[in-house]
Amino acid sequence: MAAADLQGKYQKLAQEYSKLRAQNQVLKKGVVDEQANSAALKEQLKMKDQSLRKLQQEMDSLTFRNLQLAKRVELLQDELALSELRGKKNKKSGESSSQLSQEQKSVFDEDLQKKIEENERLHIQFFEADEQHKHMEAELRSRLETLETEAAQHQAVVDGLTRKYMETIEKLQSDKAKLEVKSQTLEKEAKDCRLRTEECQLQLNNLHEDLSSRLEESLSIISEKVPFNDTRFSQYNALNVPLHNRRHQLKMREIAGQALAFIQDLVTALLNFHTYTEQRVQIFPIDSAIDTISPLNQKFSQYLHENASYVRPLEEGMLRLFESITEDTVTVLETTVQLKTFSEHLTCYVSFLRKILPYQLKSLEEECESSVCTSALRARNLELYSDVKKMTAVFEKLQTYIALLALPSTKPDGLLRASYNSVLTHIATVLQEFHDVMKDISMHYSQKATIEHELPTATQKLITTNDCILSSVVALTNGAGKIASFFSSNVDYFIASLSYGPKAAGGFISPLSAECMLQYKQKAAAYMKSLKKVQQSLEKIAKLEQEKEHWMLEAQLAKIKLEKENQRMADKVKNASGAQRVQNTQENPVLVNATIQDQEESADKAWQEPIQSNSLVPDVESHEDLIKNHYMARIVELTSQLQLADSKSVHFHAECRALSKRLSLAEKSKDSLNEEMKVASQNISRLQDELTTTKRSYEDQLSMMSDHLCSMNETLSKQREEIDTLKMSSKGNSKKNKSR
């Protein structure tokens, strides 16, 4: 009931507001007319003032000129009076002396004229002679200078030619000597070449015989051992792993990253366009806060509210396609399975555009039928009517060609390889058409918004919504232009990359063969990694063997040095004992025999008991034993370290295998968690979009209702003030009439 009463009050207020608005229009028109008349009178008054000031200035200037002329006349009159007085005084004395002065003056003038003419003639002759002399002197000097320069040039030329001839003669002589030496060397080389030619001919014959025997042996082995040639048949050749082109993969990933960025911008622009279009349907031509909109616009708004569920999957599909292109994969149409997902999402969005197209066209027709629609606005609506149809048709074409490109990864028989180039070229053309259509929509909608802003019924909410729609359309136009230029610049590379595939073949013949090839590629990569590990292990073993040999050689060298040192010490001991024996013989010859016997016994004891002797031999032997023990301990230590390194390498290899298994399991769990997180984030984003759209719609409705109430209160207060002023004016008029 409260809502019904409130609605009834709103209707009554709206009726009163329409009546007061009509009265206000009449009053405004009268005020405008009076203001125009007042402005015209003010302009006339201003022109009259200007003409009056101009005439006053002219009057002042004429008065000043008259005063000047009057003063000038007075001065001339005074001068005339003075000249008359002077003429009367000098008239008598001048008559007598005038005759004599005239005759003398004429004689003097004639003599002076003759002198002047003669002097002038002499000056002319002197000047001409001087000029002629100077001219002749200058000519002779210039001629002398030219002759001197020519002589110097001729002498320089003669000297240069002489020098050149001498240099040429010397050069020819040296060239002659060089050519003679060269001819001798060439003769020697020719002899050597003949000998080499004979040797090469013999080697060629031997190689020919060897290769012929090897060819026969290879052919026999192939015929006996090889069951078939897999490159002969395209079905088998498609399973061969092609050469890995890392540059191609990096380029394709870079292109996919650029395409993902453009699609993200396009998705954002499409979301804004559909959302702001939904808001516009709610407020124009009928504001949903004031009155109920038509069922057609209600249904249209309901469909537009679902735009996020159709637009956002485009970005997700492109993101999956970008993630599927890595450095280790082979990117061709037969292996890009995620392109099918993007094509399906694009098909869903095109079906959404088809669903909203009739409602959008009917909504434009409803705007044209409204009372506030002018002829210019109706023309813009008709242009947008045609543009919306073109936009949907362009998206349908684009969806068709994208679906054709996705066929090689799912149904190889659906599209021939010969048609790949044509499909890519048509996609570039359709993207350019999409850019042209968006430019037309942007231009026509800008004109439409300008006309709607000038309408008397245009609200601030409508102006803001039109600006938002226009900004989203501009963003769509820019995004479409970037995508069209990007695809056109890379279409040649796409066409050239279609031939990438197995060796000696035109490409993959089916998605199944491409998938098998990728599996073989992964196995080959794993096998190469294992070979690399084995190679590293073999290199490490070889390095350890080299170290072992090195230390064995060191031990042998130490042993040889030890033997030499022992021999040297023994020789030294013998020499020392011999010298002592000779000295004792010289001092006491009688005791020679006894001393010799004692020394021999002591020497025997020294050799038999080296440790208990007080001579030099025990020290030497102990030193040798220390060195020997040290090297033996070092060899034992190195052997134990080698065994420890072997055991550690085996243990490390086992740990690496276990860690690789754990890493593979962790990556699998990470992928599953990432998928779950993506699904959760998609749900969260969808819920957030729904929440924001509902919150925005409620806030817009509340703000529109509050703005409407405020505007109605303001208009009511203004109308009350106008009524009071009219009442006061009517009372004043009635009082004046009574007083009259």
Side-chain angles (χ1 to χ4, degrees):
M1 291 294 291
D5 295 337
L6 184 62
Q7 189 70 25
K9 289 180 181 180
Y10 283 158
Q11 290 179 357
K12 290 180 181 179
L13 290 172
Q15 292 175 0
E16 292 178 0
Y17 175 71
S18 62
K19 292 179 182 178
L20 293 173
R21 190 177 180 82
Q23 295 175 2
N24 192 14
Q25 292 291 335
V26 175
L27 292 173
K28 282 183 179 179
K29 187 175 181 182
V31 171
V32 169
D33 294 337
E34 290 296 328
Q35 288 178 353
N37 293 329
S38 176
L41 292 173
K42 286 181 180 179
E43 188 67 27
Q44 291 178 2
L45 180 62
K46 187 176 180 181
M47 292 175 67
K48 294 291 184 184
D49 289 337
Q50 290 178 357
S51 61
L52 181 62
R53 289 174 185 172
K54 188 175 181 181
L55 292 172
Q56 188 68 32
Q57 290 177 357
E58 290 179 356
M59 186 69 184
D60 293 337
S61 64
L62 290 172
T63 304
F64 180 72
R65 186 64 178 166
N66 287 331
L67 291 173
Q68 286 182 346
L69 291 173
K71 291 180 180 180
R72 182 66 177 167
V73 168
E74 290 178 357
L75 290 172
L76 291 173
Q77 288 177 355
D78 293 338
E79 290 178 357
L80 182 62
L82 290 172
S83 64
E84 288 178 355
L85 291 173
R86 290 175 182 173
K88 288 179 180 180
K89 290 179 180 181
N90 296 325
K91 188 175 180 182
K92 294 179 179 180
S93 61
E95 288 178 355
S96 59
S97 59
S98 61
Q99 293 178 357
L100 294 173
S101 62
Q102 288 292 332
E103 292 178 357
Q104 293 176 357
K105 186 177 181 181
S106 62
V107 173
F108 289 150
D109 288 338
E110 289 178 357
D111 293 337
L112 182 62
Q113 185 67 31
K114 289 179 180 179
K115 295 290 184 183
I116 289 168
E117 290 177 355
E118 186 177 359
N119 193 9
E120 184 178 0
R121 181 174 55 78
L122 292 172
H123 275 290
I124 289 169
Q125 290 177 357
F126 178 75
F127 180 74
E128 288 178 352
D130 191 14
E131 287 293 326
Q132 195 172 14
H133 176 71
K134 288 180 180 180
H135 181 67
M136 289 177 68
E137 185 179 1
E139 285 182 353
L140 292 172
R141 286 182 182 277
S142 63
R143 188 176 178 186
L144 179 61
E145 289 176 356
T146 54
L147 290 173
E148 287 178 353
T149 54
E150 288 178 357
Q153 290 176 358
H154 290 160
Q155 187 63 36
V157 170
V158 170
D159 295 339
L161 290 172
T162 305
R163 194 183 306 110
K164 186 176 179 182
Y165 290 152
M166 294 300 293
E167 291 176 355
T168 306
I169 291 167
E170 292 177 357
K171 187 177 180 182
L172 290 172
Q173 289 177 355
S174 63
D175 291 340
K176 180 181 179 182
K178 289 179 182 179
L179 289 172
E180 289 177 354
V181 174
K182 191 174 182 180
S183 63
Q184 293 176 1
T185 55
L186 288 173
E187 288 177 356
K188 292 180 180 179
E189 289 179 357
K191 292 179 180 178
D192 295 337
C193 288
R194 291 192 194 95
L195 296 174
R196 289 178 186 175
T197 305
E198 294 175 356
E199 292 177 358
C200 291
Q201 188 66 34
L202 293 174
Q203 291 178 2
L204 181 62
N205 295 330
N206 295 330
L207 287 174
H208 182 69
E209 293 176 358
D210 188 13
L211 291 174
S212 300
S213 62
R214 288 184 183 181
L215 178 61
E216 292 176 358
E217 185 180 358
S218 300
L219 290 174
S220 63
I221 291 171
I222 290 170
S223 61
E224 292 175 0
K225 303 295 183 181
V226 178
F228 65 93
N229 185 9
D230 57 356
T231 60
R232 185 180 300 174
F233 303 101
S234 59
Q235 293 86 355
Y236 301 141
N237 191 31
L239 299 175
N240 288 328
V241 179
L243 297 175
H244 182 65
N245 192 347
R246 183 172 178 270
R247 185 179 298 174
H248 169 73
Q249 289 301 121
L250 293 177
K251 177 69 173 177
M252 292 301 294
R253 184 167 177 81
E254 181 185 357
I255 291 172
Q258 294 176 3
L260 175 61
F262 294 145
I263 291 296
Q264 288 174 347
D265 296 340
L266 190 67
V267 165
T268 304
L270 286 172
L271 287 172
N272 294 332
F273 177 68
H274 292 311
T275 304
Y276 291 130
T277 304
E278 178 190 358
Q279 292 183 9
R280 175 184 166 80
V281 171
Q282 295 286 339
I283 62 174
F284 191 80
I286 300 173
D287 197 344
S288 61
I290 299 173
D291 198 358
T292 304
I293 62 176
S294 64
L296 175 71
N297 283 335
Q298 289 180 1
K299 197 70 175 176
F300 185 34
S301 176
Q302 180 182 355
Y303 286 151
L304 287 173
H305 190 68
E306 302 171 355
N307 69 88
S309 60
Y310 294 98
V311 178
R312 287 196 180 276
L314 294 175
E315 181 180 355
E316 296 171 3
M318 196 64 201
L319 180 61
R320 289 185 180 179
L321 179 60
F322 170 71
E323 291 174 351
S324 66
I325 299 173
T326 61
E327 184 180 345
D328 298 330
T329 59
V330 177
T331 304
V332 289
L333 289 178
E334 288 82 2
T335 58
T336 53
V337 182
Q338 295 298 329
L339 186 60
K340 179 65 176 177
T341 306
F342 179 75
S343 174
E344 291 174 353
H345 293 326
L346 183 60
T347 303
C348 294
Y349 179 67
V350 170
S351 65
F352 169 72
L353 290 179
R354 289 173 183 163
K355 183 170 66 174
I356 66 172
L357 179 62
Y359 297 96
Q360 195 169 6
L361 299 178
K362 290 292 183 182
S363 178
L364 288 172
E365 292 177 358
E366 186 175 339
E367 288 185 15
C368 293
E369 293 173 358
S370 63
S371 59
V372 297
C373 185
T374 62
S375 59
L377 186 59
R378 189 176 291 107
R380 300 290 85 75
N381 286 334
L382 292 175
E383 290 173 350
L384 285 174
Y385 189 94
S386 175
D387 293 338
V388 169
K389 285 184 177 180
K390 292 179 181 178
M391 178 181 171
T392 306
V394 166
F395 268 103
E396 288 176 351
K397 287 182 183 179
L398 185 61
Q399 182 268 332
T400 302
Y401 291 123
I402 295 295
L404 287 174
L405 277 186
L407 285 176
S409 61
T410 54
K411 298 178 181 178
D413 298 333
L415 184 65
L416 298 175
R417 288 188 61 84
S419 304
Y420 290 176
N421 299 349
S422 177
V423 172
L424 291 170
T425 307
H426 281 91
I427 288 175
T429 306
V430 171
L431 289 174
Q432 189 61 43
E433 291 178 1
F434 177 48
H435 182 217
D436 296 338
V437 169
M438 290 311 304
K439 285 196 293 187
D440 293 339
I441 292 176
S442 177
M443 180 180 64
H444 296 154
Y445 203 92
S446 175
Q447 296 172 357
K448 173 183 170 66
T450 304
I451 296 170
E452 288 181 350
H453 294 174
E454 295 175 355
L455 293 175
T457 58
T459 61
Q460 186 62 36
K461 183 69 176 176
L462 178 61
I463 294 171
T464 304
T465 305
N466 282 340
D467 292 338
C468 293
I469 293 175
L470 189 58
S471 64
S472 64
V473 170
V474 171
L476 269 175
T477 306
N478 295 332
K482 290 179 181 178
I483 292 174
S485 61
F486 160 75
F487 198 88
S488 298
S489 60
N490 290 301
V491 67
D492 295 333
Y493 180 75
F494 293 152
I495 294 172
S497 63
L498 293 176
S499 60
Y500 180 58
K503 188 177 180 181
F508 304 101
I509 60 173
S510 67
L512 184 60
S513 65
E515 185 177 359
C516 293
M517 182 277 302
L518 290 177
Q519 293 178 1
Y520 295 153
K521 185 177 180 356
Q522 293 173 359
K523 289 180 181 179
Y527 178 69
M528 293 301 292
K529 287 181 180 179
S530 63
L531 286 179
K532 190 175 181 181
K533 289 181 180 178
V534 171
Q535 183 66 26
Q536 290 176 355
S537 300
L538 291 174
E539 289 176 357
K540 192 172 183 181
I541 292 169
K543 188 176 180 181
L544 292 173
E545 289 290 338
Q546 290 177 0
E547 291 181 358
K548 180 181 176 182
E549 293 290 336
H550 171 70
W551 289 113
M552 288 178 70
L553 291 172
E554 289 288 335
Q556 290 178 1
L557 290 173
K559 187 176 180 181
I560 293 168
K561 287 181 180 179
L562 181 60
E563 292 175 354
K564 289 182 179 179
E565 189 67 23
N566 290 333
Q567 186 68 31
R568 188 178 65 82
M569 293 301 294
D571 294 339
K572 188 175 182 181
V573 169
K574 288 181 180 180
N575 293 330
S577 62
Q580 187 177 3
R581 190 182 306 159
V582 171
Q583 186 178 2
N584 292 329
T585 304
Q586 290 176 358
E587 290 177 356
N588 195 359
V590 177
L591 299 175
V592 171
N593 294 325
T595 305
I596 291 171
Q597 291 177 359
D598 293 336
Q599 287 178 357
E600 287 177 355
E601 290 176 359
S602 63
D604 293 335
K605 290 180 180 180
W607 283 106
Q608 291 173 1
E609 297 178 357
I611 298 173
Q612 295 178 358
S613 177
N614 294 325
S615 64
L616 295 173
V617 176
D619 296 333
V620 173
E621 290 182 353
S622 63
H623 185 65
E624 292 173 355
D625 292 335
L626 287 174
I627 293 172
K628 183 178 180 180
N629 293 331
H630 172 72
Y631 280 110
M632 290 300 292
R634 183 61 177 164
I635 290 168
V636 172
E637 183 182 358
L638 290 173
T639 306
S640 62
Q641 288 180 1
L642 179 60
Q643 293 175 355
L644 182 62
D646 290 336
S647 62
K648 283 184 178 180
S649 63
V650 173
H651 180 67
F652 181 69
H653 180 65
E655 286 184 355
C656 288
R657 290 183 63 184
L659 288 173
S660 64
K661 290 180 181 179
R662 290 175 62 185
L663 181 62
S664 61
L665 293 173
E667 287 179 351
K668 290 181 181 178
S669 62
K670 180 183 176 182
D671 295 335
S672 62
L673 291 173
N674 285 331
E675 292 293 332
E676 293 177 359
M677 191 166 64
K678 285 180 183 178
V679 174
S681 62
Q682 290 173 3
N683 294 329
I684 290 169
S685 62
R686 181 173 55 79
L687 292 173
Q688 286 179 353
D689 292 336
E690 292 179 358
L691 180 62
T692 52
T693 51
T694 53
K695 184 178 179 181
R696 191 184 298 168
S697 62
Y698 284 127
E699 289 177 355
D700 293 340
Q701 291 178 1
L702 290 173
S703 63
M704 289 166 62
M705 291 175 68
S706 62
D707 294 339
H708 185 65
L709 288 173
C710 292
S711 62
M712 290 181 68
N713 290 327
E714 290 176 358
T715 51
L716 287 173
S717 61
K718 288 180 181 178
Q719 294 297 330
R720 286 173 183 171
E721 291 176 358
E722 290 178 357
I723 290 168
D724 293 336
T725 54
L726 289 172
K727 286 181 179 180
M728 293 295 292
S729 62
S730 62
K731 286 180 181 180
N733 292 328
S734 62
K735 287 180 181 180
K736 288 180 182 178
N737 291 327
K738 287 180 181 180
S739 63
R740 287 177 183 175

